[in-house]
Structures are given as structure tokens and as C-alpha cells.
Amino acid sequence: MTSRVYLYQQCTQIWSSTTSLRASPIPLSTSSLSSFPLPSPSSFSLPWLSLNHCAKRSSRGGGAMGTTELGPSDLRHVESMSHTPSGAGKINKLNAVILGESLASEENDLVMPSTEFSQAALISSQEQYEKMYKKSIEDPAGFWSEIASEFYWEEKWNPNEVCKENIDVTNGRVNIEWFKGAKTNICYNAVDRNISAGNGDKVAIYWEGNEPGQDGQLTFSQLLDRVCQLANYLKQVGVKKGDAVIIYLPMLMELPIAMLACARIGAVHSVVFAGFSAESLAQRIIDCKPKIVITCNAVRRGPKVIFLKDIVDSALTESAKNNVSVDICLTYENPSAMKREETKWQDGRDVWWQDVVPNLPTKCDIEWVDAEDPLFLLYTSGSTGKPKGVLHTTGGYMIYTATTFKYAFDYKPSDIYWCTADCGWITGHSYVTYGPLINGASVLVFEGAPNYPDAGRCWDIVDKYKVTIFYTAPTLVRSLMREGDEFVKRYSRKSLRVLGSVGEPINPSAWRWFFNVVGDSRCPISDTWWQTETGGFMILPIPGAWPQKPGSATFPFFGVQPAVVDEKGNEIEGECSGYLCIKKSWPGAFRTLYGDHERYETTYFKPFAGYYFTGDGCNRDKDGYYWLTGRVDDVINVSGHRIGTAEVESALVSHPQCAEAAVVGVEHEVKGQGIYAFVTLVEGVPYSEELRKSLIVTVRNQIGAFAAPDKIHWAPGLPKTRSGKIMRRILRKIASRQLNELGDTSTLADPGVVDQLIALADC
């Protein structure tokens, strides 16, 4: 449906004769925007949108079409947003946009930040962004050197050798280096540097436990003490620079403490999500051969107890069978989940954290490391074969995560920041631990489940800590959306000023609910696209700088040059669909796959020579906005039509009675592949044949008849990990009736969902 966008013309003249502006709107379809002259394509210019102001309206639909009242500050804001980049085509002096009914009520609405937000933002206009982006592309060494100078370096880099790279496999070995030869330490920059700046008494970490009322906090000074004690223990048991340490902990404060302690002494940490099975943990132990494993005896997740130490014991037994033995298992006692005396124990190997770490000195010397020395390993599952050990180094990653955090969330020193991700994933590395703490942010770490004891828990926590920045996954947004608005609206949420989305493309209907209901139509959404491999954000909206389109990641971050290519690797200009690649390197890029550089090159650089291949599909619209369509291996080929599963899922979820959907491909004797959709309905809505047909019609209308699902499988819930990731592997097996090949389901938040789905297979 065409969004209702209204163009005000000649506002300057009207303003000169009155103290307020009320003008009759002239309807303008989004497609008409192409009639405005746009900048010539270049490596650093983005198509400029002549969209400059949007009125605040009711947070939900149903309001009458209306006009807005613009005062002097509004006009200044509109005029500041109407500049084009140098050499760009001219647009009207002043164009004001009003969106109808609800601030994000239409599929193609463009949502502007408020005047007040933009005026106070770190990047307040697209013109400012364009200037910075242009420099980052034309002079990456100068751009990143200027930013790097804000951090502490024991030894500076050679200004003539800021970056050395080869990402073209036809030119030899792929190699990326940033600031090589410079000496620094990321723990020092995340903790000590903040204390030196006078922020020792500022809260670094707030901790919220599984049960309401369980909480704690650490100032930066207290955090440093804890980090140094653990670092001293690691040194005491023989961990040295370059040694690997496996961390298998839940979201206790001890998890970021352990990461920082490893970084302080130059050890390489490998955090394994405390939900992976013993087999998965053993695979990672065998691959990186750690000196020590750090865990806790158990954890509560909602009403459920997870016996982590038992999982570690099994993993260590399995790894020993493969000739990889670990001498020490440092175990944190978590008394709220399990008593010490009930914990299985192996004398000589197992050590209680509380018995040794608190007794050690609170001072520990820094191990200064090269910018290109390894910082951490993080294993990400491959579609086939063993997990891939993504290796990130220190200097470039430090700069990139800190800078992306700062601008993506418009960070201010007064902010209270909450990212719901677990540190077992890259989001927890970059945007729970390193990025925020390097900026001196107060970070909230949450141990529990977001819907426990009820679906209002997130907003209760937001009000309790006065959270200002809330960063979460679309899966959680849709899950809470399914529970209805009541659980949100019973809490104030007035402290919120920026929202964020991570993990997968967020469908427009979930985006609008997140914006309208959770954010009261006033909080910009930083809808971030990035990967474990990229280390930090790559394409995202910068709050305050430009209009957002619900579901679009919008424009690239500084230094990032996206390219959309066809199947032959030819770069496509303008409006297009294809494979998303990246030209050139960026500081946060991973350097290799641990122990398998050949796989690194084959997976990421050989598919399209001269580019980093993201593995994702992408659409770029006529306005230059990027829309991620999901993994290209999540593409279904139906009678020659290549259909992204995310596109079908988005269409299904746009149906008012669909809360969530997951689509997979299955063999089809006529079409080659058919579309099989698992659909979770809004709470209280019954299954019916009429509703099944209505869902299929919705997809036909939005995409086309060729995309209509062949099967709607009713799903009370979807198989998800505790981080919210949908296990599509399991869905494919259920859809194909390969029920004896479901594999490991131990990482699921609710393994019982699988049995429910199997029972409903023929309904």
C-alpha cells in the first residue's frame, strides 16, 4: 500500500507572515520521491531524501488525517535536514513531511526523529553523516587514526601503515591488518581508563537476577578489583599471553569479569553460550585446547534449573577421549540455583571460584599486546562441518566496537544501557562488554528470562533501572508483541530514548509495534545489520540523522562500503536485489578462522573475488536504503522463482492474527521446492481453515501467487535457543518428516515445543 506522505511547499514564505504554520497537505506517494533530483552515484554519496519533518501523532492507528504545527525550532530542523551533499541535485528550500494516522502505521512510512532528538544527537543531520562517511572512505587511515587517538596506546602505530589488506583471493593470501605494531590493552581501555578519567565511582555493571528482587552492581573501581583478582588467579595457574580460556557461564557479572581478566593478561577467551550441549562444548574444547574452563554449578532460567557443571563434566570427558585434557575447571558457586554440596566434584581438577579468587590481590599488571594479537575466539555454527572459530584481534576491534556503539545508540554519559543478548554470542561481546564499557557506559546484565515471571518483566526492569537504551532481538519483540500491549503499558518506560534491534531482519509490523507501543512513537530504532565475523555494526540507522523505513537497515556505517552483486559477481547499481558484499576491510573485521585459513578464504572471499561475501541477500531501494533478506541459503527456489524465507515470513506476520512465522523449503515433485510455513497465532486466536486460507491470501497479495505457502503448520511455539534464535534446522526436519534426524535439541529454551510441532504436523 502506498504510504500517505504529505508535502508542504513554500513554507518559508508562509513562515514569514505568521508565527505558526498550518498548511493543506498535498498527497505524495513514496514512489514520487524519485522525481526529485538525487546525487550522482559515488563511493561515498547516498541518495538524498527530501524528507525533513514528521508530526507526532497517536501511537496507534485510527486518528484522523491532520496537519501539524511547526514553530521556529521545527523550521530550523527541517531546513538543516534539507541540504544535499556537495555536487548533488537541488531540492526545494523546505520540504516538510507528515505521516498519517500513526507514526508508523503503513508498510512504507518514513519515520523521522523528533526535532528535539536530532538537535541533541551526536550526528544530527544527514549532511554531517555524509561529511564523516566521505572522509572514512576517501581517507580511512586518517579517519580511523583520529578516532584511535582517543584511546590509550602504550605504543603508537606507524601513520604510514595504519591498514594493510588483501581481500582479493586472485592476488594471493587474504590478509587484514590494522594498527599493526601499536601496543594497547582492551581491558585497560574499558576499565582503568575510565577510572583515570574520574569515573571510578560510576556504576559499570548493574546486575538483575532471574528472580525479581535479585540484583547487584559494581562501580568501575570495584569492577577493576574483581578483574584483577581473577587475572591473578589465571596467571597463578599458568595461563599466559596467547593461551586459550573457555568460559561457559550464564549472565552473571562474573562473565564479563572473566572476559576482561583474560584480556588483561593477553589470554584468548572463547565464550561458549551456556546453553550449548556437552557435545557442542566438547567440540570447542577440542579445537582450541584451553588451559582452563570457567563455569558455574547451575543457573535458573525462569522456573527451570540448568545444571551447567554436569554439562561441563560430560564435555571434559568427551574431549579427553580425543586427547585434549583440561587441568582446571574453575567453578563459580551460584547458591540461588544449586547448593555447593549437591554439585558433582572431581578433586584435583575442580576448584571453587569463591575459595581462591577473592583472596588474591586487587592489582594486576597489564600485558600490553600488539593491535593484531588475538583477543578472542567465538565459534559460529557452519551449515556443514565443524563450528567455525572466528578470530578477532585487539586494536581494530576495540576501536570499531567502541565507535559503532557510540554513534549507533547516540550514547550519552548519563545513559543506562541494556542489551538483552548473552555474552555467548558476538552481540554480548561487542555490545554488552567491550563497546559500552570502553565508552564508560553503565551496562545492565540480566540473568533471567524476558517473560518470567510474566511478559512484563522487561519493562519492569526498564523502569527499575531507568534504562535509556534498550537493544534486543526481533524474536523477543514478536514474542512480547504476541502477549499484547497490556504488559507494556502497565509500565512507564519514560526513561527510554533509543531502541535497537539485532540478530535478523525485523519485519515491518514488529518494527512498528516496537516503535509505537514500546517506544511511545518517540524513540528511534537502531535496526542493526552485522555479523559475528564483522565484529560490529555495518549497516544501520544513526538516530537523529535521517528518516527510517520500518524493516530497513538503511545506510552503511563509517568505513563500510556495501556492494550488491549478481550471481556472476557483477556489481549492480541503484535499485536492485542480489548478494550483499563488502568492498575493502574495516577495523573490526575478523582476521581468520582459527586453524583453518583455507576455509576462511573459501567461505568468505572466493565466492566473489575482490569482495567479502556476507552470505546474505539484500535489496536496495530507489532511495538507497538497504533491506536485508536473510541468508542466501535461506532462499527457496519455487518453479524458478528465488524467494527469500524472510520475505514470506514478513508477509505472514503482517496478518493481524499472526504473531510469528518461520518458513523453510521442502521438496516438491512439481515445483522443485515448496514453501512450508510454521505459524504462531496471537494469543487466544483459534486454529481454523478460514484463517489458514486468509494467511495464504495475505502472502499472495503482498508477494505474488508463486510465494503462497504450500503448507501452514500451526505452531504454539517455535524451537528457539535461550537467546531467541529459531532453530530452523529442526523445522526443516519436521517439515520433511525426518523425525529421526532432529539432532541435538538441548540448547532449546523449551524442548517440549518440538513434540508439540510433531503432534500438529497433520492438523
Side-chain angles (χ1 to χ4, degrees):
M1 184 185 296
T2 302
S3 64
R4 290 182 285 272
V5 183
Y6 296 86
L7 172 67
Y8 282 87
Q9 295 181 312
Q10 300 178 343
C11 293
T12 308
Q13 290 87 336
I14 297 173
W15 173 253
S16 65
S17 61
T18 181
T19 56
S20 66
L21 172 64
R22 290 187 182 275
S24 299
I26 303 170
L28 176 72
S29 71
T30 308
S31 59
S32 302
L33 293 171
S34 59
S35 64
F36 287 97
L38 295 175
S40 300
S42 71
S43 62
F44 56 83
S45 291
L46 298 176
W48 173 246
L49 296 172
S50 54
L51 307 171
N52 312 109
H53 182 84
C54 109
K56 282 190 176 181
R57 284 140 313 150
S58 62
S59 63
R60 303 295 283 176
M65 301 302 295
T67 59
T68 187
E69 185 170 301
L70 303 180
S73 63
D74 296 296
L75 286 174
R76 284 193 295 272
H77 175 59
V78 171
E79 188 166 350
S80 73
M81 296 295 290
S82 66
H83 295 97
T84 60
S86 176
K90 301 298 181 182
I91 61 172
N92 291 341
K93 173 69 174 177
L94 183 61
N95 301 316
V97 171
I98 298 179
L99 308 177
E101 297 183 346
S102 169
L103 206 60
S105 61
E106 299 286 348
E107 197 75 12
N108 295 319
D109 276 348
L110 293 123
V111 183
M112 279 294 298
S114 69
T115 304
E116 295 77 13
F117 189 99
S118 286
Q119 288 177 338
L122 296 173
I123 299 177
S124 60
S125 67
Q126 183 145 346
E127 182 185 34
Q128 181 185 354
Y129 162 80
E130 289 277 1
K131 184 177 180 181
M132 295 175 69
Y133 184 73
K134 177 180 179 180
K135 180 177 180 181
S136 75
I137 300 304
E138 291 186 335
D139 181 21
F143 179 86
W144 290 110
S145 289
E146 184 176 333
I147 290 175
S149 297
E150 300 172 9
F151 301 85
Y152 181 81
W153 300 82
E154 184 71 4
E155 295 180 21
K156 290 294 183 69
W157 55 92
N158 183 339
N160 298 318
E161 296 182 352
V162 173
C163 175
K164 289 184 177 181
E165 68 170 34
N166 172 46
I167 65 169
D168 189 341
V169 290
T170 64
N171 291 333
R173 179 183 172 87
V174 172
N175 184 58
I176 298 170
E177 295 176 342
W178 284 81
F179 303 99
K180 186 174 177 62
K183 303 291 184 183
T184 190
N185 185 284
I186 199 170
C187 175
Y188 183 89
N189 278 280
V191 187
D192 306 59
R193 188 171 62 99
N194 285 302
I195 296 171
S196 298
N199 292 319
D201 292 333
K202 181 179 180 178
V203 174
I205 299 176
Y206 290 102
W207 176 74
E208 176 77 6
N210 182 65
E211 298 293 335
Q214 291 180 335
D215 53 33
Q217 65 182 52
L218 291 174
T219 65
F220 276 97
S221 292
Q222 291 169 331
L223 176 61
L224 179 60
D225 290 348
R226 299 278 189 93
V227 167
C228 286
Q229 287 177 320
L230 180 57
N232 282 322
Y233 175 75
L234 294 175
K235 290 169 67 175
Q236 186 181 90
V237 297
V239 177
K240 303 181 297 297
K241 177 183 175 182
D243 288 341
V245 174
I246 288 276
I247 303 171
Y248 188 75
L249 284 168
M251 288 297 280
L252 303 170
M253 286 190 284
E254 284 67 26
L255 177 45
I257 287 170
M259 296 166 68
L260 291 163
C262 290
R264 191 171 192 87
I265 64 173
V268 181
H269 62 69
S270 180
V271 182
V272 180
F273 173 59
F276 273 119
S277 66
E279 180 182 353
S280 296
L281 176 58
Q283 285 180 327
R284 288 150 174 80
I285 292 171
I286 292 166
D287 194 62
C288 73
K289 300 174 178 58
K291 284 289 186 72
I292 181 174
V293 172
I294 302 175
T295 189
C296 78
N297 54 349
V299 65
R300 287 188 180 274
R301 181 78 174 179
K304 183 180 178 181
V305 177
I306 303 164
F307 300 100
L308 298 181
K309 179 63 165 49
D310 290 353
I311 295 171
V312 172
D313 288 346
S314 297
L316 292 175
T317 299
E318 183 64 27
S319 65
K321 292 177 182 177
N322 288 269
N323 300 316
V324 177
S325 297
V326 179
D327 294 333
I328 298 172
C329 178
L330 182 66
T331 306
Y332 183 84
E333 179 188 2
N334 191 8
S336 65
M338 188 180 191
K339 295 179 180 179
R340 178 183 288 212
E341 55 269 23
E342 296 173 350
T343 306
K344 295 178 182 177
W345 207 250
Q346 181 174 314
D347 291 331
R349 184 197 69 186
D350 299 342
V351 179
W352 286 112
W353 176 309
Q354 286 91 334
D355 287 353
V356 293
V357 175
N359 302 325
L360 293 170
T362 56
K363 305 292 182 184
C364 179
D365 291 340
I366 292 287
E367 180 73 36
W368 301 109
V369 300
D370 190 280
E372 282 300 321
D373 279 342
L375 173 63
F376 66 85
L377 275 172
L378 185 56
Y379 287 86
T380 180
S381 298
S383 55
T384 59
K386 69 177 185 179
K388 298 173 291 186
V390 171
L391 178 67
H392 280 283
T393 53
T394 302
Y397 174 84
M398 175 178 75
I399 294 164
Y400 197 72
T401 54
T403 307
T404 48
F405 172 82
K406 175 181 176 180
Y407 289 118
F409 300 116
D410 189 49
Y411 171 70
K412 306 291 197 303
S414 58
D415 280 321
I416 306 297
Y417 167 76
W418 181 19
C419 171
T420 64
D422 191 286
C423 288
W425 310 110
I426 187 63
T427 305
H429 283 60
S430 299
Y431 301 113
V432 172
T433 303
Y434 291 119
L437 292 177
I438 292 169
N439 279 280
S442 296
V443 179
L444 176 63
V445 172
F446 176 45
E447 178 193 8
N451 58 353
Y452 177 80
D454 61 38
R457 183 69 187 278
C458 284
W459 322 123
D460 179 42
I461 293 171
V462 165
D463 283 359
K464 176 178 178 179
Y465 294 97
K466 301 296 185 288
V467 172
T468 57
I469 303 170
F470 179 71
Y471 187 40
T472 194
T475 301
L476 177 58
V477 173
R478 289 191 293 266
S479 175
L480 297 177
M481 178 180 169
R482 183 190 182 197
E483 300 293 334
D485 298 358
E486 175 196 352
F487 285 104
V488 183
K489 293 186 174 180
R490 70 172 60 164
Y491 299 97
S492 166
R493 296 161 286 108
K494 294 300 182 185
S495 60
L496 289 173
R497 68 179 194 88
V498 178
L499 302 175
S501 172
V502 61
E504 61 182 290
I506 184 170
N507 52 291
S509 59
W511 192 103
R512 291 192 295 272
W513 183 84
F514 198 27
F515 180 81
N516 290 331
V517 179
V518 175
D520 287 332
S521 303
R522 58 182 173 77
C523 301
I525 298 177
S526 196
D527 179 12
T528 60
W529 174 80
W530 60 300
Q531 300 173 316
T532 301
E533 294 87 346
T534 71
F537 305 144
M538 300 291 279
I539 304 176
L540 72 156
I542 293 181
W546 56 71
Q548 291 187 250
K549 296 184 180 184
S552 170
T554 73
F555 299 136
F557 192 71
F558 305 123
V560 176
Q561 298 184 65
V564 182
V565 304
D566 63 20
E567 291 185 354
K568 295 181 179 179
N570 299 313
E571 191 168 338
I572 315 170
E573 299 293 340
E575 185 177 2
C576 60
S577 297
Y579 301 95
L580 181 61
C581 295
I582 308 295
K583 307 175 188 178
K584 304 290 185 180
S585 70
W586 59 99
F590 74 131
R591 304 308 198 241
T592 191
L593 292 177
Y594 182 68
D596 199 346
H597 196 78
E598 182 180 356
R599 187 182 184 190
Y600 168 72
E601 293 185 348
T602 300
T603 304
Y604 301 99
F605 299 97
K606 284 188 177 178
F608 302 105
Y611 298 94
Y612 165 76
F613 175 46
T614 67
D616 282 338
C618 177
N619 298 330
R620 185 171 55 221
D621 67 22
K622 57 186 173 296
D623 299 320
Y625 282 65
Y626 289 85
W627 300 76
L628 277 298
T629 57
R631 305 296 295 172
V632 293
D633 52 12
D634 288 335
V635 172
I636 304 171
N637 197 330
V638 180
S639 301
H641 297 284
R642 290 177 61 81
I643 305 166
T645 56
E647 188 176 9
V648 181
E649 290 166 0
S650 182
L652 286 166
V653 175
S654 71
H655 191 288
Q657 292 177 306
C658 176
E660 192 165 21
V663 170
V664 297
V666 292
E667 289 187 12
H668 193 284
E669 61 182 7
V670 176
K671 301 177 183 179
Q673 279 189 298
I675 297 175
Y676 195 109
F678 293 83
V679 172
T680 301
L681 300 178
V682 172
E683 194 68 33
V685 174
Y687 306 143
S688 70
E689 188 60 29
E690 182 181 0
L691 179 53
R692 190 193 308 269
K693 292 177 180 177
S694 178
L695 288 163
I696 293 172
V697 168
T698 297
V699 177
R700 291 173 66 98
N701 290 342
Q702 290 197 20
I703 304 175
F706 62 89
D710 297 278
K711 168 74 174 179
I712 299 288
H713 186 136
W714 302 122
L718 295 172
K720 300 173 186 174
T721 65
R722 287 190 288 280
S723 67
K725 182 179 180 180
I726 298 172
M727 297 289 282
R728 296 173 193 275
R729 166 182 60 79
I730 293 174
L731 295 180
R732 291 189 188 98
K733 295 300 182 183
I734 293 174
S736 301
R737 301 297 191 269
Q738 296 173 309
L739 303 182
N740 60 338
E741 300 177 20
L742 293 176
D744 182 15
T745 61
S746 65
T747 61
L748 297 180
D750 181 9
V753 165
V754 175
D755 293 332
Q756 292 178 317
L757 291 176
I758 293 171
L760 288 167
D762 298 318
C763 294

